Amino acid sequence: MSVLPDPGASRAVLVGTSRFEHLEPLPAVANNLRALADLLCSPLSLQLPAQHVTVVEDPAAAHTVVGAVRQAAAEATDTLVVYFAGHGLVDAQDQLVLALPHTEFGRIETGLPYDWVRQVLLLDSRAERHVVILDCCYSGLALGRMSAGTGLADQAAVEGSFLLAAAAETRTALAPVGETYTAFTGALLEALRQGIPGGPALVDLGALYRHLRLTMAARGHPVPQARDRNSGAQVALGHNRAKLPAAPVAAAAGADAGERPWPDPRAIRTVTGFFTALAQVRVVSGLTHRAVSERSAGRMAAGTVGRLLNRSTLPTTWGTTAVYLSACGVPDEQITQWQRAWQQLRAQNLSAETVGPAVTRDGGPEKAKAWQRPLSAFRRRRDH
């Protein structure tokens, strides 16, 4: 069954190199980074908090990228998304090397071996699921690192890995001159923004891969490749916009309510995830705040609906949330699962309050490394 990651327990690291000293520039890559970062934070996709998306543009050295991935891998307990766009090269051992601004042909020490990133994901990550998206030439070479052979991937037994590569191991990716995005990332953004006609309710990686193969082949572009390990293909990157109501409607939920793509409360692990999923319930229902109020038989005012969805702390009682879910048309058995999720989070919060907040050795909250650039900083720099 497809599942949307909990945004509070998930992280994304987006890496891109658009400017090079010795290779052809790829100006579209900078647009890729900004658009994908915005999308992952939006209701169209995972609704990740801005501080959970790290953008590394034109990294000066390999350790900059590896360090950012390692930090996110230490923080994510649900899903970790790693994306790279730029030139891909092949070394003397036919291994994929990700190009950096100072990379030169024939000098492997000037690039970032993909294996370094792979080792962080396999050995240092706390995340249950890993999604790797490579938009570069020869990115299919990375597929062998998650194959069913006898390599490190099998020794580490990584659960829920999905690697999506823009091109086969012998093909170059496409960055059309004058286009806003590279061909592969442009098609990926289009699928998540507009949805997949006739596709599933949730755009999981398996459905996204099949759609991208058809789309890219029809356009005469390089066909992407993928490797799924265990349940990786079931990770969803958003609701299928083609399946959601075109606009909120005031009509009551019909008999198909149980078949709608309701958020799965069993996937909720954090307070952020709880309220993100709660807001998605109303979107899936197709109801406005006023319509939810009307369907609650006077038990919830429209303003109360808005205040509930905009909370940052869990309600101390369950009643209002139950009324909201019922008014949206969520089946009773799922409401029971929602209550369990609320109870578990309440218990975790009470336990955390008893223990107290974690502090670093200097007595302050733990801070991000200086070489990491959270999305907010990336936005500020690019707006100038």
Side-chain angles (χ1 to χ4, degrees):
M1 182 179 67
S2 301
V3 60
L4 277 168
D6 184 323
S10 300
R11 300 291 188 274
V13 180
L14 312 181
V15 184
T17 308
S18 59
R19 297 177 296 178
F20 302 88
E21 292 183 6
H22 308 284
L23 306 174
E24 289 294 320
L26 296 172
V29 167
N31 297 327
N32 287 1
L33 292 176
R34 182 164 190 165
L36 189 56
D38 286 341
L39 182 67
L40 291 176
C41 294
S42 76
L44 292 174
S45 185
L46 301 184
Q47 299 192 65
L48 294 178
Q51 65 271 23
H52 290 184
V53 179
T54 299
V55 176
V56 184
E57 184 181 10
D58 295 327
H63 69 77
T64 303
V65 177
V66 175
V69 174
R70 179 172 284 116
Q71 179 72 21
E75 296 173 352
T77 55
D78 188 318
T79 300
L80 173 60
V81 179
V82 177
Y83 167 90
F84 173 83
H87 285 299
L89 305 174
V90 181
D91 67 13
Q93 285 73 45
D94 290 330
Q95 301 300 309
L96 176 65
V97 176
L98 308 180
L100 305 177
H102 307 295
T103 297
E104 298 181 46
F105 281 113
R107 298 190 60 183
I108 59 173
E109 72 275 13
T110 62
L112 168 60
Y114 171 75
D115 266 3
W116 292 8
V117 176
R118 174 184 64 88
Q119 289 180 37
V120 172
L121 298 181
L122 294 176
L123 303 178
D124 297 338
S125 178
R126 299 172 58 219
E128 291 186 13
R129 295 179 284 262
H130 304 86
V131 177
V132 179
I133 302 174
L134 299 176
D135 188 355
C136 61
C137 299
Y138 313 112
S139 50
L141 286 170
L143 296 175
R145 320 319 295 172
M146 289 187 179
S147 66
T150 58
L152 187 57
D154 289 279
Q155 296 175 26
V158 178
E159 171 72 21
S161 299
F162 195 93
L163 191 149
L164 183 59
E169 63 272 16
T170 59
R171 293 292 306 276
T172 57
L174 188 63
V177 176
E179 293 293 329
T180 304
Y181 309 115
T182 59
F184 172 77
T185 297
L188 185 149
L189 291 168
E190 179 183 298
L192 294 176
R193 287 168 173 168
Q194 301 177 14
I196 302 175
L202 294 177
V203 181
D204 59 45
L205 288 163
L208 180 62
Y209 168 59
R210 292 188 293 272
H211 174 75
L212 290 176
R213 282 186 63 87
L214 293 174
T215 299
M216 301 293 280
R219 295 174 180 175
H221 293 167
V223 177
Q225 307 290 311
R227 174 74 70 225
D228 171 30
R229 183 170 176 81
N230 300 316
S231 60
Q234 297 175 3
V235 177
L237 295 185
H239 285 279
N240 187 352
R241 303 298 294 179
K243 301 280 282 189
L244 291 176
V249 295
D256 66 338
E259 301 175 0
R260 297 190 183 192
W262 302 111
D264 186 355
R266 293 169 297 183
I268 295 172
R269 297 178 181 148
T270 65
V271 174
T272 298
F274 183 87
F275 286 110
T276 299
L278 208 60
Q280 289 174 345
V281 166
R282 188 195 62 78
V283 174
V284 172
S285 74
L287 300 169
T288 64
H289 287 200
R290 182 176 295 278
V292 173
S293 174
E294 292 173 352
R295 284 175 47 80
S296 73
R299 290 176 292 173
M300 278 189 88
T304 304
V305 175
R307 286 192 293 274
L308 173 65
L309 300 183
N310 287 299
R311 290 179 63 104
S312 58
T313 58
L314 286 174
T316 56
T317 59
W318 171 244
T320 300
T321 306
V323 170
Y324 165 80
L325 293 169
S326 179
C328 286
V330 176
D332 291 342
E333 61 271 19
Q334 290 191 28
I335 294 178
T336 301
Q337 294 171 355
W338 272 94
Q339 186 174 13
R340 290 199 196 100
W342 170 78
Q343 291 171 335
Q344 291 170 356
L345 289 173
R346 285 277 295 163
Q348 291 172 10
N349 285 354
L350 291 173
S351 176
E353 290 171 2
T354 301
V355 174
V359 296
T360 58
R361 281 177 291 184
D362 63 2
E366 187 172 358
K367 298 179 181 178
K369 301 295 185 183
W371 33 256
Q372 281 193 298
R373 293 165 55 198
L375 176 58
S376 56
F378 172 73
R379 282 175 171 157
R380 286 196 298 272
R381 193 185 72 81
R382 291 196 47 93
D383 288 342
H384 284 66

